Amino acid sequence: MVSTIGAELGGLVATGVTVFVASRTDFFERQADVLVGGLGSLEEVLEVKAWARSDIIDFSERYASRVDDPLVASRVREILDSVPGAVDIASNPMRLTLLLYLLVTRADIDVLRLNEPYTLYEMFYSEWLNKERHRGTSGGSATAIVAAHVQLARWFYRHKGERSSSVREIGVEGWDELRLDSAFSDLLDFETSIDEGGEVVRGFRHETLGEHLIARSILHAFDAGGPVIDKALAITVADDVNGFVRSGLAQFSAARVSAIQANLGRRYDELKRDAESVSTDENERLREQILYYVGRLPVRKVPEVLVVASVSETTPLLRRAAALGAILHGNVEVEKRYLLMLDDASEARLNRSVQMVYFGDVHDDLHTFEDSGEDWSRTRRAIFRRLGGRSIRDNRLRQWDLRTLRSFIESRPGSVLSGEESMILRAIQLPGIGEEDRAAAIRQEIDLVLGLAGT
């Protein structure tokens, strides 16, 4: 679909027409290469800055005026003043719109938990289902509605960039009843297609709604444990969905996170035992994803399963998932061991390949794709975003990010850093007292990268 749009726009450009293309940043990063394939080079690429506090208040006041509810604007001000991180959340227009909806409907919301995107979307979705039922336009089972929404979200996630599909192809059970239910249908975008012979579902009214629903289903499966986890992880998701997963985990109680850790560890052990008798691709995929998510749990102590799997797993991809999880928890010994493994060309290539799929440089299977010199601009931007960050997560991934960056540069002779990239590298804050060895290793990596491609 995107390639067709690119070709059509390219035809207009060929006649001398000036074309402006606008999209969400993450969509552009995923689809720019496809678009440019038909359109040709883009003369200028501009990114709209996130809204500042003044923009948030201005939009809120206009919204309040339109719905004739001045209390909404004052409530937004209160939230911005009292909730840490609220400005960052509300600086995204979609998230601000969800917040305004909750305030207008007088939803019973816990404002102190509005510092995470997952919580905001969860509050909106729950309120949406309740409000539509009270309006009398939704009479179906909430369980059926949620299940159908998740099914659609997963279908559209697997078919990103493709044309919207007929209802028959997606195969949602009980469609005729659901289509008449506002809680279900009003979050979706439809059109009538002569070619498809009927109604076509274009997707959710905003793609992030589907991403949240997938993350929601993953977290609920983690709560349930057992084979339910397998179904939730049937498709491997990328950072767009996993951002919501991490955001949700950050809001969970310590007891809930501990229960999830136990469920994931137990399911990993079961799958590992099964693999000892019959090893399958599906089993390996599930174990890799479980190790990934265990590595993202907000726990104080590194889960032992990560330390063990970083050595015991025989598949490089699974060793990598376990090692990175342990690194995220601050395990220096696993970090040293894994970075040494990246001196091996095949391990380094695998590491690059996974990153390129994860950040959308290529539209391929994370478990099978192999880097052969393709464009890596999205991965590059992601690496430098972290290298310029100061969070605990950024700092713990610092040495691995630098090693990955060097691997990309070495595999692509002639690579040159931009002035901004060089500045980010030179401004990296080194670890302090007690981490002298790690600081020296990071300093060495910075020097190596600057020596290879510095400006």
Side-chain angles (χ1 to χ4, degrees):
M1 186 175 180
V2 177
S3 58
T4 302
I5 294 173
E8 292 292 331
L9 293 177
L12 291 174
V13 172
T15 65
V17 174
T18 300
V19 174
F20 294 85
V21 180
S23 76
R24 282 173 52 197
T25 300
D26 56 351
F27 180 85
F28 177 81
E29 291 179 348
R30 289 197 307 269
Q31 301 291 346
D33 54 338
V34 181
L35 184 65
V36 170
L39 180 59
S41 62
L42 302 175
E43 293 190 10
E44 287 186 295
V45 178
L46 305 177
E47 183 173 355
V48 178
K49 294 176 62 177
W51 282 0
R53 179 189 172 90
S54 59
D55 299 311
I56 297 169
I57 292 174
D58 179 64
F59 183 87
S60 301
E61 289 176 343
R62 292 171 185 268
Y63 187 97
S65 176
R66 185 173 179 179
V67 299
D68 193 24
D69 190 347
L71 288 176
V72 169
S74 61
R75 192 76 176 100
V76 169
R77 281 193 175 88
E78 291 176 11
I79 291 172
L80 295 180
D81 290 337
S82 61
V83 180
V87 173
D88 290 336
I89 293 292
S91 64
N92 178 294
M94 175 60 182
R95 296 174 186 171
L96 177 56
T97 301
L98 298 185
L99 174 60
L100 291 169
Y101 170 86
L102 291 170
L103 295 176
V104 167
T105 60
R106 300 295 192 266
D108 183 16
I109 58 176
D110 181 357
V111 295
L112 295 180
R113 296 177 61 231
L114 285 176
N115 58 352
E116 287 289 347
Y118 180 87
T119 305
L120 175 61
Y121 275 77
E122 186 71 357
M123 289 180 182
F124 163 77
Y125 190 62
S126 297
E127 177 66 12
W128 170 263
L129 295 178
N130 291 331
K131 186 60 65 175
E132 294 304 294
R133 183 174 295 277
H134 289 315
R135 284 178 56 198
T137 55
S138 173
S141 160
T143 301
I145 292 171
V146 173
H149 273 158
V150 171
Q151 182 181 351
L152 284 170
R154 288 179 173 277
W155 192 94
F156 282 109
Y157 195 86
R158 286 195 302 268
H159 297 83
K160 277 187 177 181
E162 296 183 15
R163 193 183 186 286
S164 50
S165 177
S166 68
V167 172
R168 290 188 301 276
E169 183 178 351
I170 299 175
V172 174
E173 185 177 348
W175 178 266
D176 292 338
E177 293 78 16
L178 288 169
R179 180 65 181 90
L180 300 176
D181 194 308
S182 64
F184 172 76
S185 60
D186 284 4
L187 290 183
L188 302 170
D189 190 11
F190 299 90
E191 71 175 14
T192 300
S193 171
I194 297 176
D195 294 336
E196 294 287 345
E199 193 169 53
V200 169
V201 188
R202 295 169 56 89
F204 284 86
R205 290 196 177 273
H206 200 275
E207 198 173 50
T208 55
L209 294 171
E211 293 165 359
H212 165 259
L213 284 166
I214 296 173
R216 185 179 193 267
S217 69
I218 290 173
L219 290 171
H220 286 189
F222 292 171
D223 283 327
V228 175
I229 293 173
D230 304 0
K231 183 178 179 180
L233 302 183
I235 58 172
T236 304
V237 296
D239 195 49
D240 45 10
V241 171
N242 283 332
F244 276 111
V245 174
R246 293 193 299 269
S247 176
L249 289 169
Q251 286 289 305
F252 290 175
S253 68
R256 187 175 178 184
V257 171
S258 179
I260 287 175
Q261 180 180 344
N263 286 341
L264 289 174
R266 192 176 300 113
R267 189 56 186 152
Y268 172 82
D269 289 339
E270 292 167 353
L271 290 166
K272 191 79 163 60
R273 285 195 298 271
D274 291 343
E276 291 173 0
S277 56
V278 180
S279 180
T280 65
D281 288 343
E282 180 184 7
N283 185 297
E284 283 195 1
R285 287 170 181 265
L286 289 171
R287 292 193 344 256
E288 187 272 335
Q289 289 190 76
I290 289 174
L291 290 171
Y292 170 87
Y293 287 113
V294 171
R296 274 69 188 170
L297 295 175
V299 292
R300 293 183 179 181
K301 183 181 178 182
V302 57
E304 186 63 22
V305 64
L306 298 177
V307 179
V308 173
S310 68
V311 177
S312 65
E313 283 288 358
T314 58
T315 304
L317 184 60
L318 273 70
R319 286 201 305 268
R320 175 187 183 276
L324 287 181
I327 290 170
L328 277 168
H329 284 87
N331 190 297
V332 177
E333 294 307 313
V334 173
E335 179 184 50
K336 290 178 181 177
R337 187 165 60 242
Y338 181 63
L339 291 175
L340 284 174
M341 292 173 64
L342 289 180
D343 289 336
D344 179 84
S346 61
E347 292 278 359
R349 185 182 189 186
L350 170 70
N351 184 46
R352 296 195 305 270
S353 302
V354 174
Q355 290 298 89
M356 291 174 69
V357 174
Y358 191 76
F359 288 111
D361 282 306
V362 292
H363 308 288
D364 212 317
D365 185 350
L366 180 146
H367 295 262
T368 59
F369 170 72
E370 293 187 355
D371 172 33
S372 57
E374 293 86 350
D375 176 69
W376 61 292
S377 56
R378 296 165 195 169
T379 302
R380 184 172 183 153
R381 285 194 293 272
I383 290 173
F384 274 101
R385 275 198 299 270
R386 273 205 300 259
L387 291 176
R390 297 292 180 88
S391 70
I392 294 175
R393 186 172 189 270
D394 295 332
N395 288 326
R396 286 180 175 172
L397 291 174
R398 187 77 77 219
Q399 196 171 352
W400 170 70
D401 273 332
L402 287 165
R403 184 65 184 84
T404 303
L405 176 61
R406 176 157 66 93
S407 177
F408 272 108
I409 291 172
E410 289 173 337
S411 68
R412 288 155 172 80
S415 295
V416 177
L417 299 176
S418 69
E420 181 181 1
E421 289 171 339
S422 295
M423 288 177 60
I424 289 173
L425 290 177
R426 292 188 171 95
I428 287 176
Q429 186 174 5
L430 299 177
I433 298 174
E435 296 185 90
E436 288 81 4
D437 290 346
R438 190 165 185 269
I442 290 175
R443 179 73 264 172
Q444 182 181 24
E445 280 294 345
I446 294 172
D447 291 341
L448 286 170
V449 172
L450 289 171
L452 285 167
T455 55

